């Protein structure tokens, strides 16, 4: 059940990203990462988002974590 909720949050984040709704994207990614801190896709998208929002240090940390979680 928790994975299903996480998947919905990640899907909502991707839709928000695609629609340039960055605040909604950030909120959905926060939920996805809270539900599954080991979600490399959520952390990867969060790194892209934070780069877009001018948060390079936070983006770098998220990108590093995404790579650690899924080096492929």
């Amino acid at each position: 059940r928790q994975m299903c909720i996480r998947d919905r949050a990640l899907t909502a984040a991707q839709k928000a990203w695609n629609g340039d709704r960055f605040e909604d994207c950030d909120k959905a990614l926060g939920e996805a990462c809270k539900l599954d801190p080991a979600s490399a896709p959520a952390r990867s998208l969060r790194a892209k988002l934070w780069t877009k929002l001018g948060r390079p240090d936070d983006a770098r940390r998220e990108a590093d974590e995404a790579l650690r979680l899924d080096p492929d």
Side-chain angles (χ1 to χ4, degrees):
R1 182 173 190 273
Q2 188 173 18
M3 291 302 253
C4 183
I5 294 169
R6 192 265 344 253
D7 291 344
R8 280 188 289 206
L10 185 53
T11 297
Q14 290 168 329
K15 287 181 181 179
W17 171 263
N18 291 338
D20 293 336
R21 296 185 333 271
F22 302 125
E23 187 175 318
D24 293 340
C25 183
D26 194 30
K27 183 178 176 184
L29 286 171
E31 184 67 16
C33 289
K34 179 181 171 186
L35 291 167
D36 183 7
S39 173
R43 291 186 176 274
S44 180
L45 182 54
R46 195 182 230 183
K48 285 174 51 175
L49 173 67
W50 285 353
T51 297
K52 179 87 169 171
L53 296 178
R55 297 172 59 180
D57 293 336
D58 293 328
R60 189 171 300 109
R61 269 193 305 278
E62 287 297 312
D64 288 346
E65 183 63 9
L67 286 171
R68 185 188 72 75
L69 292 167
D70 185 7
D72 297 326

